[in-house]
Amino acid sequence: MVGEPAADLLADILDLPSAEMDGIALEEVAELRPVTRRRRFTAEELVERHRRLPRVDVAQLREEADASFGDDDRAGGDDPWDRSRG
């Protein structure tokens, strides 16, 4: 059962006189706890995890994006996907 201050707060929220809250049983419905922190990954672990991700076909991705959104409002004239890898 929740204490009197909580009942008064609820009465204010519901815009009821405190007298009308008498006899209404208030129960706790949640509890707040701090979130436990996860261990940080090392650079090597991140590289290994990303190495296992599937490859992306950028040409197909561009075609699908152009089909969905159009290509007339692209910023710049050249395609950022068409660049040399050197």
Side-chain angles (χ1 to χ4, degrees):
M1 186 95 111
V2 179
E4 288 297 319
D8 292 338
L9 177 63
L10 185 58
D12 288 342
I13 292 170
L14 296 175
D15 197 26
L16 295 173
S18 292
E20 289 185 30
M21 291 298 296
D22 289 342
I24 297 176
L26 301 176
E27 298 180 27
E28 296 178 12
V29 294
E31 178 180 353
L32 297 177
R33 297 183 196 165
V35 177
T36 57
R37 294 196 178 260
R38 292 190 218 157
R39 179 183 70 83
R40 291 180 178 236
F41 291 105
T42 65
E44 292 80 17
E45 289 171 322
L46 289 174
V47 168
E48 181 57 35
R49 286 177 64 141
H50 287 91
R51 189 173 282 140
R52 292 182 296 207
L53 292 175
R55 302 290 291 176
V56 175
D57 182 355
V58 293
Q60 181 183 0
L61 180 66
R62 170 58 69 195
E63 287 176 21
E64 291 174 4
D66 287 345
S68 296
F69 305 112
D71 61 355
D72 54 333
D73 62 345
R74 259 194 232 157
D78 47 2
D79 193 347
W81 301 110
D82 291 335
R83 62 175 191 240
S84 64
R85 300 281 180 192

Coordinates of all heavy atoms in Angstrom, one line a residue:
M1 N 0.9 -1.2 0.0 CA 0.0 0.0 0.0 C 0.9 1.2 0.0 O 1.9 1.3 0.7 CB -0.9 0.0 1.2 CG -1.9 1.0 1.2 SD -3.5 0.5 0.6 CE -4.4 0.5 2.0
V2 N 0.5 2.2 -0.8 CA 1.3 3.4 -0.9 C 0.9 4.4 0.2 O -0.2 4.4 0.7 CB 1.1 4.1 -2.3 CG1 1.8 5.4 -2.4 CG2 1.4 3.1 -3.4
G3 N 1.9 5.2 0.7 CA 1.7 6.1 1.8 C 0.8 7.3 1.4 O 0.4 7.5 0.3
E4 N 0.5 8.1 2.4 CA -0.4 9.3 2.3 C 0.1 10.3 1.2 O -0.7 10.8 0.5 CB -0.5 10.0 3.6 CG -1.4 9.2 4.6 CD -2.8 9.1 4.1 OE1 -3.4 10.1 3.5 OE2 -3.4 8.0 4.2
P5 N 1.4 10.6 1.2 CA 1.9 11.6 0.1 C 1.5 11.2 -1.3 O 1.1 12.0 -2.1 CB 3.4 11.7 0.3 CG 3.6 11.2 1.7 CD 2.6 10.2 2.0
A6 N 1.6 9.9 -1.6 CA 1.2 9.4 -2.9 C -0.3 9.5 -3.1 O -0.7 9.9 -4.2 CB 1.6 7.9 -3.0
A7 N -1.1 9.3 -2.1 CA -2.5 9.5 -2.3 C -2.9 10.9 -2.5 O -3.7 11.2 -3.3 CB -3.2 9.0 -1.0
D8 N -2.2 11.8 -1.8 CA -2.4 13.3 -2.1 C -2.0 13.7 -3.5 O -2.7 14.5 -4.1 CB -1.7 14.1 -1.0 CG -2.3 13.9 0.4 OD1 -3.4 13.5 0.5 OD2 -1.5 14.2 1.3
L9 N -0.9 13.1 -3.9 CA -0.4 13.4 -5.3 C -1.4 12.9 -6.3 O -1.8 13.6 -7.3 CB 1.0 12.8 -5.5 CG 1.6 13.0 -6.9 CD1 1.8 14.5 -7.2 CD2 2.9 12.2 -7.0
L10 N -1.9 11.7 -6.1 CA -2.9 11.1 -7.0 C -4.2 12.0 -7.0 O -4.8 12.2 -8.1 CB -3.2 9.7 -6.7 CG -4.1 8.9 -7.6 CD1 -3.5 9.0 -9.1 CD2 -4.3 7.5 -7.2
A11 N -4.6 12.4 -5.9 CA -5.8 13.3 -5.8 C -5.6 14.5 -6.6 O -6.5 15.0 -7.3 CB -6.1 13.6 -4.3
D12 N -4.4 15.1 -6.5 CA -4.1 16.3 -7.3 C -4.1 16.0 -8.8 O -4.7 16.8 -9.6 CB -2.7 16.9 -6.9 CG -2.7 17.5 -5.5 OD1 -3.8 17.8 -5.0 OD2 -1.6 17.7 -4.9
I13 N -3.5 14.9 -9.2 CA -3.5 14.6 -10.6 C -4.9 14.3 -11.1 O -5.3 14.8 -12.2 CB -2.6 13.3 -10.8 CG1 -1.2 13.6 -10.5 CG2 -2.8 12.8 -12.2 CD1 -0.2 12.5 -10.5
L14 N -5.7 13.6 -10.4 CA -7.1 13.3 -10.8 C -8.1 14.5 -10.5 O -9.2 14.4 -10.9 CB -7.6 12.1 -10.1 CG -6.9 10.8 -10.4 CD1 -7.4 9.6 -9.5 CD2 -7.0 10.4 -11.8
D15 N -7.6 15.6 -9.9 CA -8.3 16.7 -9.6 C -9.5 16.4 -8.7 O -10.7 16.7 -9.0 CB -8.8 17.4 -10.9 CG -9.3 18.9 -10.6 OD1 -8.8 19.4 -9.6 OD2 -10.1 19.4 -11.4
L16 N -9.2 15.6 -7.7 CA -10.3 15.2 -6.7 C -9.9 15.7 -5.3 O -8.7 15.9 -5.0 CB -10.3 13.7 -6.6 CG -10.8 12.9 -7.8 CD1 -10.6 11.4 -7.5 CD2 -12.2 13.2 -8.1
P17 N -10.9 16.0 -4.5 CA -10.6 16.4 -3.1 C -10.0 15.2 -2.4 O -10.3 14.1 -2.7 CB -11.9 16.8 -2.5 CG -12.9 16.9 -3.7 CD -12.3 16.2 -4.8
S18 N -9.0 15.4 -1.5 CA -8.4 14.3 -0.8 C -9.4 13.4 -0.1 O -9.2 12.3 0.1 CB -7.3 14.9 0.2 OG -6.3 15.4 -0.6
A19 N -10.5 14.0 0.3 CA -11.5 13.3 1.1 C -12.1 12.1 0.2 O -12.4 11.1 0.7 CB -12.6 14.2 1.6
E20 N -12.2 12.4 -1.1 CA -12.7 11.4 -2.0 C -11.7 10.2 -2.2 O -12.1 9.2 -2.7 CB -13.1 12.0 -3.3 CG -14.3 12.9 -3.3 CD -14.7 13.3 -4.6 OE1 -14.5 12.6 -5.6 OE2 -15.3 14.4 -4.7
M21 N -10.5 10.4 -1.9 CA -9.5 9.4 -2.1 C -9.5 8.4 -0.9 O -8.9 7.4 -1.0 CB -8.1 10.0 -2.2 CG -7.9 10.8 -3.5 SD -8.0 9.8 -5.0 CE -6.7 8.6 -4.8
D22 N -10.1 8.8 0.2 CA -10.2 7.9 1.3 C -10.9 6.6 0.9 O -11.9 6.6 0.3 CB -10.9 8.5 2.5 CG -10.1 9.7 3.1 OD1 -8.9 9.7 2.9 OD2 -10.7 10.5 3.8
G23 N -10.3 5.5 1.3 CA -10.9 4.2 1.1 C -10.4 3.6 -0.3 O -10.8 2.5 -0.6
I24 N -9.7 4.4 -1.1 CA -9.2 3.8 -2.4 C -7.8 3.3 -2.1 O -6.9 4.0 -1.6 CB -9.1 4.9 -3.4 CG1 -10.5 5.5 -3.8 CG2 -8.4 4.4 -4.7 CD1 -10.5 6.6 -4.8
A25 N -7.7 2.0 -2.3 CA -6.4 1.3 -2.0 C -5.5 1.6 -3.2 O -5.8 1.3 -4.4 CB -6.6 -0.2 -1.9
L26 N -4.3 2.1 -2.9 CA -3.3 2.4 -3.9 C -2.2 1.3 -3.8 O -1.7 1.0 -2.7 CB -2.7 3.8 -3.7 CG -3.6 4.9 -3.8 CD1 -2.9 6.2 -3.5 CD2 -4.3 5.0 -5.2
E27 N -1.9 0.7 -4.9 CA -0.8 -0.3 -4.9 C 0.3 0.1 -5.8 O 0.2 0.8 -6.8 CB -1.4 -1.6 -5.5 CG -2.5 -2.2 -4.6 CD -3.0 -3.5 -5.2 OE1 -2.3 -4.2 -5.9 OE2 -4.2 -3.8 -5.0
E28 N 1.5 -0.3 -5.4 CA 2.7 0.0 -6.2 C 2.6 -0.9 -7.4 O 2.3 -2.1 -7.3 CB 4.0 -0.3 -5.4 CG 4.1 0.6 -4.2 CD 5.4 0.3 -3.4 OE1 6.2 -0.5 -3.9 OE2 5.5 0.8 -2.3
V29 N 2.9 -0.3 -8.6 CA 2.8 -1.1 -9.8 C 4.2 -1.2 -10.5 O 4.3 -2.0 -11.5 CB 1.8 -0.5 -10.8 CG1 0.4 -0.6 -10.2 CG2 2.1 0.9 -11.1
A30 N 5.2 -0.5 -10.1 CA 6.5 -0.5 -10.8 C 7.5 -0.2 -9.8 O 7.3 0.4 -8.7 CB 6.5 0.4 -11.9
E31 N 8.8 -0.5 -10.1 CA 9.9 -0.2 -9.3 C 11.0 0.3 -10.3 O 11.2 -0.4 -11.3 CB 10.4 -1.5 -8.6 CG 11.6 -1.2 -7.7 CD 12.0 -2.5 -7.0 OE1 11.3 -3.5 -7.0 OE2 13.1 -2.5 -6.4
L32 N 11.7 1.3 -9.9 CA 12.8 1.9 -10.7 C 14.1 1.4 -10.2 O 14.3 1.5 -9.0 CB 12.8 3.4 -10.8 CG 11.5 4.0 -11.4 CD1 11.6 5.6 -11.3 CD2 11.4 3.7 -12.8
R33 N 14.9 0.8 -11.0 CA 16.2 0.3 -10.6 C 17.3 0.9 -11.6 O 17.0 1.1 -12.8 CB 16.3 -1.2 -10.7 CG 15.4 -1.9 -9.8 CD 15.6 -3.4 -9.8 NE 14.5 -4.0 -9.2 CZ 14.2 -5.3 -9.4 NH1 15.0 -6.0 -10.2 NH2 13.2 -5.9 -8.8
P34 N 18.5 1.1 -11.2 CA 19.5 1.5 -12.1 C 19.8 0.4 -13.1 O 19.7 -0.8 -12.8 CB 20.7 1.8 -11.2 CG 20.5 1.1 -10.0 CD 19.0 1.0 -9.8
V35 N 20.1 0.8 -14.3 CA 20.5 -0.1 -15.4 C 21.9 -0.6 -15.2 O 22.8 0.3 -14.9 CB 20.3 0.6 -16.8 CG1 20.7 -0.4 -17.9 CG2 18.9 1.1 -17.0
T36 N 22.1 -1.8 -15.3 CA 23.5 -2.3 -15.2 C 24.2 -2.1 -16.5 O 23.7 -2.2 -17.6 CB 23.5 -3.9 -14.9 OG1 22.8 -4.5 -15.9 CG2 22.8 -4.2 -13.6
R37 N 25.5 -1.7 -16.3 CA 26.3 -1.4 -17.5 C 26.9 -2.6 -18.1 O 27.3 -3.5 -17.4 CB 27.4 -0.4 -17.2 CG 26.9 1.0 -16.8 CD 28.0 1.9 -16.8 NE 27.6 3.3 -16.4 CZ 27.3 4.2 -17.3 NH1 27.4 3.9 -18.6 NH2 26.9 5.4 -17.0
R38 N 26.8 -2.7 -19.5 CA 27.5 -3.8 -20.1 C 28.9 -3.6 -20.3 O 29.4 -2.4 -20.3 CB 26.8 -4.0 -21.5 CG 25.4 -4.4 -21.5 CD 25.0 -4.8 -22.9 NE 23.6 -4.3 -23.1 CZ 23.1 -4.1 -24.3 NH1 23.8 -4.3 -25.3 NH2 21.9 -3.7 -24.4
R39 N 29.7 -4.6 -20.5 CA 31.1 -4.6 -20.7 C 31.3 -4.0 -22.1 O 30.6 -4.3 -23.0 CB 31.7 -6.0 -20.7 CG 33.2 -6.0 -20.9 CD 33.6 -7.5 -20.9 NE 33.2 -8.3 -22.0 CZ 33.8 -8.3 -23.2 NH1 34.8 -7.5 -23.4 NH2 33.3 -9.0 -24.2
R40 N 32.3 -3.1 -22.2 CA 32.6 -2.5 -23.5 C 33.4 -3.5 -24.3 O 34.2 -4.2 -23.8 CB 33.4 -1.2 -23.3 CG 32.6 -0.1 -22.7 CD 33.5 1.1 -22.6 NE 32.7 2.2 -22.1 CZ 32.6 3.4 -22.7 NH1 33.2 3.6 -23.8 NH2 31.9 4.3 -22.2
F41 N 33.2 -3.5 -25.7 CA 33.9 -4.3 -26.5 C 35.3 -3.7 -26.9 O 35.4 -2.5 -27.0 CB 33.2 -4.6 -27.8 CG 31.9 -5.4 -27.7 CD1 30.7 -4.8 -27.7 CD2 32.0 -6.7 -27.5 CE1 29.5 -5.5 -27.5 CE2 30.8 -7.5 -27.3 CZ 29.6 -6.9 -27.3
T42 N 36.3 -4.6 -27.1 CA 37.6 -4.1 -27.6 C 37.5 -3.9 -29.1 O 36.5 -4.3 -29.7 CB 38.7 -5.2 -27.3 OG1 38.4 -6.3 -28.1 CG2 38.7 -5.6 -25.8
A43 N 38.5 -3.2 -29.6 CA 38.5 -2.9 -31.1 C 38.5 -4.2 -31.8 O 37.8 -4.4 -32.9 CB 39.7 -2.1 -31.4
E44 N 39.3 -5.2 -31.4 CA 39.4 -6.5 -32.1 C 38.0 -7.2 -32.1 O 37.6 -7.8 -33.1 CB 40.4 -7.4 -31.4 CG 41.9 -6.9 -31.6 CD 42.2 -5.8 -30.6 OE1 41.5 -5.6 -29.6 OE2 43.2 -5.1 -30.9
E45 N 37.3 -7.2 -31.0 CA 36.0 -7.8 -30.9 C 35.0 -7.1 -31.9 O 34.2 -7.8 -32.5 CB 35.4 -7.8 -29.5 CG 36.2 -8.7 -28.5 CD 35.7 -8.4 -27.1 OE1 35.5 -7.3 -26.7 OE2 35.6 -9.4 -26.3
L46 N 35.0 -5.8 -31.9 CA 34.2 -5.1 -32.9 C 34.5 -5.4 -34.3 O 33.6 -5.6 -35.1 CB 34.3 -3.6 -32.6 CG 33.6 -3.1 -31.3 CD1 33.9 -1.6 -31.2 CD2 32.1 -3.3 -31.3
V47 N 35.8 -5.5 -34.6 CA 36.1 -5.8 -36.0 C 35.6 -7.2 -36.4 O 35.1 -7.5 -37.4 CB 37.7 -5.7 -36.2 CG1 38.1 -6.3 -37.5 CG2 38.1 -4.2 -36.1
E48 N 35.8 -8.2 -35.4 CA 35.4 -9.5 -35.7 C 33.8 -9.6 -35.9 O 33.3 -10.3 -36.7 CB 35.8 -10.5 -34.6 CG 35.4 -11.9 -34.7 CD 36.0 -12.5 -36.0 OE1 37.1 -12.1 -36.5 OE2 35.3 -13.4 -36.6
R49 N 33.1 -8.9 -35.0 CA 31.7 -8.9 -35.2 C 31.2 -8.3 -36.5 O 30.3 -8.8 -37.1 CB 31.0 -8.1 -34.0 CG 31.1 -8.8 -32.7 CD 30.5 -7.9 -31.6 NE 29.1 -7.7 -31.8 CZ 28.2 -7.6 -30.9 NH1 28.5 -7.8 -29.6 NH2 27.0 -7.4 -31.2
H50 N 31.8 -7.2 -36.9 CA 31.5 -6.6 -38.2 C 31.9 -7.4 -39.4 O 31.3 -7.3 -40.5 CB 32.0 -5.1 -38.2 CG 31.2 -4.2 -37.3 ND1 31.6 -4.0 -36.0 CD2 30.1 -3.6 -37.5 CE1 30.7 -3.2 -35.4 NE2 29.8 -2.9 -36.3
R51 N 33.0 -8.2 -39.2 CA 33.4 -9.0 -40.3 C 32.4 -10.1 -40.7 O 32.3 -10.5 -41.8 CB 34.8 -9.7 -39.9 CG 35.5 -10.4 -41.0 CD 36.8 -10.9 -40.6 NE 37.7 -9.7 -40.6 CZ 38.7 -9.5 -39.7 NH1 38.8 -10.3 -38.7 NH2 39.5 -8.4 -39.8
R52 N 31.6 -10.5 -39.7 CA 30.6 -11.5 -40.0 C 29.3 -11.0 -40.6 O 28.4 -11.7 -40.9 CB 30.3 -12.3 -38.7 CG 31.5 -13.1 -38.2 CD 31.1 -13.8 -37.0 NE 30.8 -12.9 -35.9 CZ 31.0 -13.1 -34.6 NH1 31.4 -14.3 -34.2 NH2 30.7 -12.2 -33.7
L53 N 29.2 -9.7 -40.7 CA 27.9 -9.1 -41.2 C 27.9 -9.4 -42.8 O 28.9 -9.5 -43.4 CB 27.9 -7.6 -41.0 CG 27.8 -7.1 -39.6 CD1 27.9 -5.6 -39.5 CD2 26.4 -7.6 -39.0
P54 N 26.7 -9.5 -43.3 CA 26.6 -9.7 -44.7 C 27.0 -8.5 -45.5 O 26.9 -7.4 -45.1 CB 25.1 -10.0 -44.9 CG 24.4 -9.3 -43.8 CD 25.4 -9.4 -42.6
R55 N 27.5 -8.8 -46.7 CA 28.0 -7.7 -47.6 C 26.8 -7.0 -48.2 O 25.7 -7.6 -48.3 CB 28.8 -8.3 -48.8 CG 30.0 -9.1 -48.4 CD 31.1 -8.3 -47.8 NE 31.7 -7.5 -48.8 CZ 32.7 -6.6 -48.6 NH1 33.1 -6.4 -47.4 NH2 33.2 -5.9 -49.6
V56 N 27.0 -5.7 -48.5 CA 25.9 -4.9 -49.1 C 26.2 -4.7 -50.6 O 27.3 -4.2 -50.9 CB 25.8 -3.6 -48.3 CG1 24.8 -2.7 -49.0 CG2 25.5 -3.8 -46.9
D57 N 25.2 -4.9 -51.4 CA 25.3 -4.6 -52.8 C 24.9 -3.2 -53.0 O 23.7 -2.9 -53.0 CB 24.5 -5.6 -53.6 CG 24.6 -5.4 -55.1 OD1 25.2 -4.4 -55.5 OD2 23.9 -6.1 -55.9
V58 N 25.9 -2.3 -53.1 CA 25.6 -0.8 -53.1 C 24.8 -0.4 -54.4 O 24.0 0.5 -54.4 CB 26.8 0.0 -52.9 CG1 27.4 -0.2 -51.6 CG2 27.9 -0.3 -54.0
A59 N 25.1 -1.1 -55.5 CA 24.3 -0.8 -56.7 C 22.9 -1.1 -56.6 O 22.0 -0.3 -57.0 CB 24.9 -1.5 -57.9
Q60 N 22.6 -2.3 -56.0 CA 21.2 -2.7 -55.8 C 20.5 -1.7 -54.7 O 19.4 -1.3 -54.9 CB 21.1 -4.1 -55.3 CG 19.7 -4.6 -55.1 CD 19.6 -6.0 -54.5 OE1 20.6 -6.6 -54.3 NE2 18.4 -6.5 -54.3
L61 N 21.3 -1.3 -53.7 CA 20.8 -0.4 -52.7 C 20.4 0.9 -53.3 O 19.3 1.5 -53.0 CB 21.8 -0.2 -51.6 CG 21.4 0.7 -50.4 CD1 20.3 0.1 -49.6 CD2 22.7 0.9 -49.6
R62 N 21.3 1.4 -54.2 CA 21.0 2.7 -54.9 C 19.8 2.6 -55.8 O 18.9 3.5 -55.8 CB 22.2 3.1 -55.7 CG 22.0 4.2 -56.7 CD 21.5 5.5 -56.0 NE 22.6 6.1 -55.2 CZ 22.3 7.0 -54.3 NH1 21.1 7.5 -54.1 NH2 23.3 7.5 -53.5
E63 N 19.6 1.4 -56.5 CA 18.5 1.2 -57.4 C 17.2 1.2 -56.6 O 16.2 1.8 -57.0 CB 18.6 -0.1 -58.2 CG 19.6 0.0 -59.3 CD 19.8 -1.4 -60.0 OE1 18.9 -2.2 -59.8 OE2 20.8 -1.6 -60.6
E64 N 17.2 0.5 -55.4 CA 16.0 0.4 -54.6 C 15.7 1.8 -54.0 O 14.5 2.2 -53.9 CB 16.2 -0.6 -53.5 CG 16.2 -2.0 -54.0 CD 16.6 -3.0 -52.9 OE1 16.7 -2.6 -51.7 OE2 16.7 -4.2 -53.3
A65 N 16.7 2.6 -53.6 CA 16.4 3.9 -53.1 C 15.9 4.8 -54.1 O 14.9 5.6 -53.9 CB 17.7 4.5 -52.5
D66 N 16.5 4.8 -55.3 CA 16.0 5.6 -56.4 C 14.5 5.2 -56.8 O 13.7 6.1 -57.1 CB 16.9 5.5 -57.6 CG 18.2 6.2 -57.4 OD1 18.3 7.0 -56.5 OD2 19.1 6.0 -58.2
A67 N 14.2 3.9 -56.8 CA 12.9 3.5 -57.1 C 11.9 4.0 -56.1 O 10.7 4.3 -56.4 CB 12.8 2.0 -57.2
S68 N 12.3 4.0 -54.8 CA 11.4 4.4 -53.8 C 11.3 5.9 -53.6 O 10.2 6.5 -53.5 CB 11.8 3.9 -52.4 OG 11.8 2.5 -52.4
F69 N 12.4 6.6 -53.7 CA 12.4 8.1 -53.4 C 12.7 8.9 -54.6 O 12.6 10.2 -54.6 CB 13.5 8.4 -52.4 CG 13.3 7.6 -51.1 CD1 14.3 6.6 -50.8 CD2 12.3 7.7 -50.3 CE1 14.1 5.9 -49.6 CE2 12.1 7.0 -49.1 CZ 13.0 6.0 -48.8
G70 N 13.1 8.3 -55.8 CA 13.4 9.1 -56.9 C 14.9 9.6 -56.9 O 15.5 9.6 -55.8
D71 N 15.4 10.0 -58.0 CA 16.8 10.4 -58.0 C 17.0 11.9 -58.4 O 18.1 12.4 -58.5 CB 17.7 9.5 -58.9 CG 17.2 9.6 -60.4 OD1 16.2 10.2 -60.6 OD2 17.9 9.0 -61.2
D72 N 15.9 12.6 -58.5 CA 16.0 14.0 -59.0 C 16.4 15.0 -57.9 O 16.8 16.1 -58.2 CB 14.6 14.4 -59.6 CG 13.5 14.2 -58.6 OD1 13.6 13.3 -57.8 OD2 12.5 15.0 -58.7
D73 N 16.4 14.6 -56.7 CA 16.7 15.5 -55.6 C 18.0 15.2 -54.9 O 18.3 15.6 -53.8 CB 15.6 15.7 -54.6 CG 15.3 14.4 -53.9 OD1 15.7 13.3 -54.3 OD2 14.6 14.4 -52.8
R74 N 18.9 14.4 -55.5 CA 20.2 14.0 -55.0 C 21.0 15.2 -54.9 O 21.1 16.1 -55.7 CB 20.9 13.0 -55.8 CG 20.8 11.6 -55.3 CD 21.7 10.7 -56.1 NE 21.0 9.6 -56.6 CZ 21.4 8.9 -57.5 NH1 22.5 9.1 -58.2 NH2 20.7 7.9 -57.9
A75 N 21.8 15.3 -53.8 CA 22.7 16.5 -53.6 C 24.0 16.2 -54.5 O 24.6 15.1 -54.4 CB 23.1 16.6 -52.2
G76 N 24.3 17.1 -55.3 CA 25.5 16.9 -56.1 C 25.2 16.1 -57.4 O 24.3 15.4 -57.4
G77 N 26.1 16.3 -58.3 CA 25.9 15.6 -59.6 C 26.5 14.2 -59.7 O 26.0 13.4 -60.4
D78 N 27.5 14.0 -58.9 CA 28.2 12.7 -59.0 C 27.7 11.7 -57.9 O 27.3 12.2 -56.8 CB 29.7 12.8 -59.0 CG 30.2 13.7 -57.9 OD1 29.4 14.2 -57.1 OD2 31.4 13.9 -57.8
D79 N 27.7 10.5 -58.2 CA 27.2 9.5 -57.3 C 28.3 9.1 -56.3 O 29.4 8.7 -56.6 CB 26.8 8.2 -58.1 CG 26.0 7.2 -57.3 OD1 26.0 7.3 -56.1 OD2 25.5 6.3 -57.9
P80 N 28.0 9.3 -55.0 CA 29.0 9.0 -53.9 C 29.4 7.5 -53.9 O 30.5 7.2 -53.4 CB 28.4 9.4 -52.6 CG 26.9 9.4 -52.9 CD 26.7 9.7 -54.4
W81 N 28.6 6.6 -54.5 CA 29.0 5.2 -54.5 C 30.0 4.9 -55.6 O 30.6 3.8 -55.6 CB 27.7 4.3 -54.7 CG 26.7 4.6 -53.6 CD1 25.5 5.2 -53.7 CD2 26.9 4.2 -52.2 NE1 24.9 5.2 -52.4 CE2 25.7 4.6 -51.5 CE3 27.8 3.6 -51.4 CZ2 25.5 4.4 -50.2 CZ3 27.6 3.4 -50.1 CH2 26.5 3.8 -49.5
D82 N 30.1 5.7 -56.6 CA 31.0 5.5 -57.7 C 32.3 6.2 -57.4 O 32.6 7.3 -57.9 CB 30.5 6.0 -59.0 CG 29.3 5.2 -59.5 OD1 29.3 4.0 -59.1 OD2 28.5 5.7 -60.2
R83 N 33.2 5.7 -56.5 CA 34.4 6.3 -56.2 C 35.5 5.2 -56.3 O 35.3 4.0 -56.1 CB 34.4 6.9 -54.9 CG 34.2 6.0 -53.7 CD 34.3 6.7 -52.4 NE 34.3 5.7 -51.3 CZ 33.4 5.6 -50.4 NH1 32.4 6.5 -50.3 NH2 33.5 4.6 -49.5
S84 N 36.7 5.7 -56.5 CA 37.8 4.7 -56.6 C 38.2 4.2 -55.2 O 38.0 5.0 -54.2 CB 39.0 5.3 -57.2 OG 39.5 6.4 -56.4
R85 N 38.6 3.1 -55.0 CA 39.0 2.5 -53.7 C 40.5 2.6 -53.5 O 41.0 1.7 -52.9 CB 38.5 1.0 -53.7 CG 37.1 0.8 -53.9 CD 36.4 1.1 -52.6 NE 34.9 0.9 -52.8 CZ 34.0 1.3 -51.9 NH1 34.4 1.9 -50.8 NH2 32.8 1.1 -52.1
G86 N 41.1 3.6 -53.9 CA 42.5 3.7 -53.7 C 43.0 4.7 -52.8 O 43.0 5.2 -51.9

